[in-house]
Amino acid sequence: MSDRLPVSFTTVELATAEVDALVLGATKRDGALALLEGHGLDESTAQALSAALSTLGAEGTTDELTRLAGVDGVAAGLILVVGVGGSGPAPRTEQLKRAAGVAARSLAGRGSALFALGQQDRDQAVAVAEGAALGAYSYVEQHGAGKAGSRKDPLGSVLVRGLDGEDATTAQAEVSAVVAAVSYARDLVNTPPNLLYPETFAADVVERAQAAGVEVEVWDPEQLAAEGCGGIIGVGQGSARGPRLVTLRYTPEGATRHLALVGKGITFDSGGLCLKPGASMVTMKMDMGGAAACAAATLAIAELGLPVQVTAYLCLAENMTGDLAQRPGDVVTMRGGRTVEIINTDAEGRLVMADGLALATEQQPDAIVDVATLTGACIVALGERTIGVMGNDDELRDSIVRMGTEAGDTAWALPMPEEIRPTLDTPVADLKHTGERSAGAMVAATFLQEFVGTRGAVEGEDATQIPWAHLDIAGPAFNEKSAWGYYPKGATGAGVRSLVALARSYAG
């Protein structure tokens, strides 16, 4: 799978930097094209570059790239100027991050590049480094010999101007951990489903968790049955490749708060007996993106040494059509004893997640967050680049929207209207797992909420609901279209940075 791209910070002079490429940023200002302030070039060189860009018709618009070679006063053989655009809805750090990603992707085949997009402070320097490293990502595992001969390697290393000393060291560690986590989530989602299935997914996570000093436990089908996890068992019973539940536990000394994560891990979703159309199955290897995000984020939190306890539940199953596949009309008993009538076997994700949420509740954490590629309805509501966030606690929900968006996981809050719950009633079980067709994302979240419990009562106080938030990443988890910003075609690693940001806030 993808190697970690070397990223470092420097205060080297641009004119003498011995790199293959120098990356600068530009935008329109007062109707004229200009390099972003803080670029670090001397005035005459900057003026010559601006004039050359104007001659070439550069506009400085978002994602625009202009290449210049043999520029006097600069040692680098190639200067790449990337448009950052003007003021827009994205935060300034996100604009720089995306511009760095566009530039890094275009530099495939180059050994090194120095990024000087005009970053003004530590946050902006970190954003440029993260964007460049994520933009250079490439999944290369399954390319055969014929393809490899014509394919360029990704950019070899990234230098970002603006930090030095201890500040540079800590920023480098921060960027490295986050980029490695997002890249790991991308790798998992990009892996073909004949290679990544519940058993191999679990084995890979076990290996990485042990290397990171994170405790890990795996329940196989027999253990799942013994533990009453009827949701995971029911979804997985139609596949010859049995389901798994992977539990990750990061328990640092001094932690005073506990965060539980639950990830949907459907390694391939055929729809079960309610079979999907063939065209709709092509990308269904990505249906484990929530579990990938939870695993990767937990490892990043451990690498960063954040003083917050994290327990992550990866609910892994393959939804197939074997002779034991569950049927519409079946009733299954979930972890905790509640019964659920199966209506549509292609609404399988919420079933495995329900068991995970029940298990998370048993640990009485300070908050539970689940991540899932759950509903096409969320894509209809919010498009392909925005995470839908729902939950039972407005403060937690809105904090994740804010922190996730600031981190680069654009998110938006959706309501959970009270009239949805009665649509889950059924005369044959405690509830059914689908309701009315409209408001599908909120119907799914309402079902999940049924499995989030309360904290035990203390003297003089009643039991209280455990704060819970649900991240529907169905849209942004997998990019079927052209690469953009620092997002490649294919898996994106959606949700990882939101979870790391939330853990930081809990670490105090």
Side-chain angles (χ1 to χ4, degrees):
M1 295 185 177
S2 59
D3 294 325
R4 188 178 304 197
L5 176 70
V7 177
S8 56
F9 294 87
T10 182
T11 54
V12 67
E13 293 296 327
L14 300 192
T16 59
E18 295 183 357
V19 290
D20 294 323
L22 172 62
V23 182
L24 303 171
T27 189
K28 274 286 185 68
R29 188 180 301 114
D30 298 327
L33 182 70
L35 297 177
L36 295 181
E37 295 179 3
H39 48 70
L41 294 170
D42 63 64
E43 185 176 352
S44 62
T45 302
Q47 289 177 346
L49 276 174
S50 296
L53 291 169
S54 296
T55 300
L56 292 170
E59 296 286 338
T61 54
T62 302
D63 293 359
E64 178 190 69
L65 290 171
T66 306
R67 295 172 181 265
L68 300 168
V71 176
D72 290 340
V74 178
L78 170 68
I79 292 182
L80 184 65
V81 182
V82 58
V84 179
S87 60
R92 183 59 168 174
T93 52
E94 184 65 13
Q95 289 180 315
L96 292 174
K97 197 180 296 183
R98 293 178 184 176
V102 171
R105 186 170 54 254
S106 74
L107 291 170
R110 302 275 177 173
S112 60
L114 173 59
F115 286 71
L117 300 186
Q119 51 267 22
Q120 299 293 314
D121 54 29
R122 185 186 189 279
D123 287 347
Q124 291 186 6
V126 166
V128 169
E130 183 179 309
L134 291 176
Y137 169 88
S138 178
Y139 179 74
V140 300
E141 188 74 5
Q142 302 306 319
H143 285 301
K147 179 71 174 178
S150 60
R151 186 182 174 282
K152 291 182 179 179
D153 291 330
L155 174 64
S157 65
V158 169
L159 281 170
V160 177
R161 194 167 185 274
L163 300 177
D164 60 5
E166 183 63 25
D167 205 19
T169 300
T170 57
Q172 183 175 338
E174 174 185 327
V175 171
S176 180
V178 172
V179 168
V182 174
S183 297
Y184 179 45
R186 289 176 176 180
D187 284 344
L188 287 169
V189 174
N190 281 329
T191 302
N194 61 316
L195 300 179
L196 189 79
Y197 43 91
E199 183 179 2
T200 56
F201 191 151
D204 193 83
V205 172
V206 166
E207 181 180 353
R208 289 181 179 253
Q210 290 176 340
V214 174
E215 182 184 347
V216 60
E217 180 181 8
V218 179
W219 288 357
D220 61 13
E222 291 73 21
Q223 186 70 21
L224 285 166
E227 297 289 346
C229 295
I232 300 175
I233 287 289
V235 172
Q237 68 191 32
S239 172
R241 293 165 166 166
R244 298 290 190 276
L245 176 76
V246 179
T247 304
L248 298 170
R249 298 183 181 90
Y250 169 61
T251 54
E253 292 185 9
T256 59
R257 305 192 74 185
H258 182 191
L259 176 64
L261 308 177
V262 180
K264 174 186 172 184
I266 304 300
T267 57
F268 184 78
D269 182 17
S270 70
L273 292 182
C274 299
L275 195 66
K276 292 179 181 290
S280 298
M281 291 190 212
V282 173
T283 60
M284 282 301 101
K285 67 180 182 180
M286 55 78 74
D287 213 15
M288 33 61 66
C294 291
T298 303
L299 297 177
I301 292 164
E303 182 173 346
L304 291 167
L306 300 181
V308 57
Q309 181 181 350
V310 178
T311 307
Y313 300 90
L314 316 181
C315 307
L316 312 180
E318 189 175 52
N319 189 26
M320 300 296 283
T321 60
D323 55 3
L324 295 179
Q326 65 182 1
R327 298 148 291 234
D330 282 358
V331 173
V332 297
T333 302
M334 316 294 285
R335 175 77 177 192
R338 303 195 74 187
T339 57
V340 173
E341 182 186 13
I342 306 304
I343 303 299
N344 181 347
T345 63
D346 195 22
E348 81 299 327
R350 66 198 70 181
L351 294 171
V352 303
M353 297 290 283
D355 281 340
L357 290 168
L359 285 162
T361 293
E362 293 169 15
Q363 301 303 309
Q364 297 286 281
D366 293 289
I368 301 173
V369 178
D370 77 67
V371 187
T373 50
L374 206 59
T375 65
C378 199
I379 303 176
V380 173
L382 297 178
E384 297 173 337
R385 298 185 181 183
T386 302
I387 298 172
V389 185
M390 290 150 272
N392 65 6
D393 184 273
D394 290 352
E395 182 179 355
L396 176 62
R397 180 199 63 199
D398 294 345
S399 293
I400 290 176
V401 168
R402 174 180 53 80
M403 290 185 291
T405 298
E406 290 173 353
D409 283 330
T410 303
W412 194 259
L414 292 173
M416 294 174 59
E418 62 181 13
E419 65 268 20
I420 289 177
R421 176 58 186 86
T423 70
L424 301 179
D425 288 338
T426 173
V428 300
D430 292 326
L431 71 165
K432 58 182 179 177
H433 82 305
T434 63
E436 295 179 0
R437 183 174 179 83
S438 60
M442 292 173 276
V443 169
T446 299
F447 174 82
L448 293 179
Q449 183 176 219
E450 291 293 305
F451 298 88
V452 179
T454 60
R455 289 201 195 95
V458 297
E459 186 176 353
E461 297 182 10
D462 295 330
T464 57
Q465 193 81 34
I466 297 174
W468 158 75
H470 161 61
L471 278 61
D472 192 330
I473 61 170
F478 198 84
N479 176 27
E480 295 184 66
K481 299 176 181 178
S482 299
W484 62 280
Y486 51 84
Y487 291 95
K489 186 177 177 65
T492 66
V496 173
R497 291 172 296 167
S498 295
L499 299 178
V500 172
L502 179 63
R504 284 186 190 280
S505 72
Y506 273 44

